[in-house]
Amino acid sequence: MSLPAGFTSRPATHDDAHDIWELVVAVDVEEYGDPDYDESDVRDDFARDRLDLTRDSWLVHDASGALVACALAWDKEPHALVVADSAVHPDAPDLYPWLVARIGERAAEHARESGRAVAHLYNSEPNLRRAAAITGAGYELVRVFRRMEAPLPAAPPPRDAGVRQVTPEDLRAVWEVMQAAFAEHYDFVPMSWEAWHRAFVESESYRPDLWWLAARDGEVVGILIGQAHEEKGWVKTVGVLPSARGTGVASALLLTAFARFAELGYPKVGLGVDSDNTTGAMRVYERLGMTATRRYDLYEKVFTRT
């Protein structure tokens, strides 16, 4: 499969972050009417452990030199689980089949290392070109994720909920709760303390004033990591230990975050959730006034050593 005449491809470099961000924003606006990606998100993607831009990224430029397409394929679990995203400018030719083919080739390389690799490709519901390319390459829909949002200001947080802001001394406890809270979640891959610290604390999006924990009897049982995301507050992660679920911990954390986001002047708050989440997370979010505003489909294909 070749690119159209005049189009060229190369791997991404760190200097391409701004152009990639502008491309993804153009796709976001075409799909849902407003952007859903920060330039810092690009740099966070580039900083992932095991991501090798020379082998795991593809940029496509048209004859004028404008960036019109990009893709990234990251082995979230070494040589076993490849998570990929792709974007093609709405005004560009349909380059999704070419990008999906490159991602598949990279997944096959991982399979030759491990014997078996699963590739996961995401698509937003309105993007019919990308969906057609993914299914045309033999991927099957396996999961649906929702973007949920709520207007602010929200109700004040409950008093004496055991919620407080995270301090530097709490960071290791936050990491431990995340590993335990998500251990049974779909596609969860444990992270070492060092890898987690690089991804969350050393990230450009790190906002220590938007991190909270909930403690019961001196034990940290829940955490919430927030950040500023475009023109809204964003809940990057909220997790509660299995032993504390159903006790109001998640609601207390979320209401605390919502109140802070409102103080900062954000008109709304958002988060992402797995529709098939078994912890009842969607029901919690709905009770707090959040509604689903976007749908993202996850497609899967298994590659084996040949």
Side-chain angles (χ1 to χ4, degrees):
M1 182 180 298
S2 302
L3 290 170
F7 286 68
T8 59
S9 68
R10 65 169 173 82
T13 72
H14 289 274
D15 292 337
D16 295 309
H18 182 76
D19 289 345
I20 293 171
W21 169 69
E22 288 190 330
L23 169 61
V24 175
V25 166
V27 176
D28 283 343
V29 171
E30 173 74 10
E31 292 173 348
Y32 284 111
D34 56 11
D36 194 42
Y37 204 57
D38 287 328
E39 189 171 340
S40 62
D41 293 328
V42 182
R43 287 188 280 272
D44 283 348
D45 288 342
F46 284 178
R48 288 170 169 168
D49 274 9
R50 297 181 308 281
L51 182 74
D52 179 358
L53 287 177
T54 61
R55 301 182 67 185
D56 299 332
S57 67
W58 302 266
L59 302 184
V60 179
H61 293 82
D62 65 14
S64 72
L67 179 65
V68 294
C70 66
L72 198 69
W74 165 56
D75 59 327
K76 183 177 181 179
E77 184 176 355
H79 304 305
L81 176 60
V82 178
V83 179
D85 279 308
S86 59
V88 175
H89 196 282
D91 297 332
D94 186 4
L95 300 172
Y96 282 112
W98 188 88
L99 294 174
V100 170
R102 302 291 80 72
I103 293 167
E105 290 169 356
R106 186 67 180 114
E109 290 176 356
H110 285 297
R112 286 195 286 274
E113 294 285 339
S114 61
R116 182 181 186 274
V118 176
H120 281 174
L121 276 62
Y122 286 89
N123 184 59
S124 47
E125 186 179 24
N127 198 323
L128 301 182
R129 292 199 301 177
R130 183 164 48 199
I134 292 171
T135 57
Y139 290 77
E140 296 184 355
L141 178 64
V142 294
R143 210 81 171 184
V144 173
F145 291 80
R146 302 284 183 181
R147 179 64 42 83
M148 302 191 74
E149 295 183 346
L152 295 173
R159 295 185 179 182
D160 303 319
V163 175
R164 63 172 175 81
Q165 200 167 71
V166 170
T167 68
E169 292 74 24
D170 297 317
L171 290 176
R172 187 170 286 270
V174 172
W175 163 69
E176 291 173 346
V177 169
M178 278 190 63
Q179 304 309 297
F182 291 96
E184 298 179 358
H185 281 224
Y186 184 75
D187 266 6
F188 174 75
V189 177
M191 298 179 73
S192 69
W193 159 253
E194 293 77 14
W196 179 87
H197 195 276
R198 285 192 296 272
F200 285 85
V201 180
E202 297 172 30
S203 164
E204 186 178 329
S205 62
Y206 175 49
R207 286 283 303 267
D209 60 313
L210 300 179
W211 287 42
W212 293 273
L213 63 78
R216 298 281 173 85
D217 300 322
E219 178 190 13
V220 179
V221 296
I223 57 93
L224 186 149
I225 295 174
Q227 68 181 73
H229 195 278
E230 290 292 339
E231 299 300 321
K232 60 179 173 286
W234 182 253
V235 177
K236 186 174 183 178
T237 300
V238 57
V240 178
L241 294 180
S243 60
R245 289 175 189 156
T247 63
V249 172
S251 295
L253 286 164
L254 287 160
L255 288 172
T256 299
F258 291 3
R260 177 58 179 154
F261 288 138
E263 288 176 0
L264 292 172
Y266 294 114
K268 60 184 177 180
V269 60
L271 54 78
V273 61
D274 178 356
S275 297
D276 294 323
N277 182 294
T278 59
T279 66
M282 282 196 70
R283 293 191 297 274
V284 173
Y285 304 149
E286 288 168 347
R287 285 198 299 270
L288 297 181
M290 305 193 83
T291 56
T293 58
R294 304 186 183 196
R295 168 175 166 157
Y296 296 93
D297 295 330
L298 174 62
Y299 293 84
E300 177 180 285
K301 185 176 180 178
V302 177
F303 293 79
T304 56
R305 183 186 291 128
T306 56

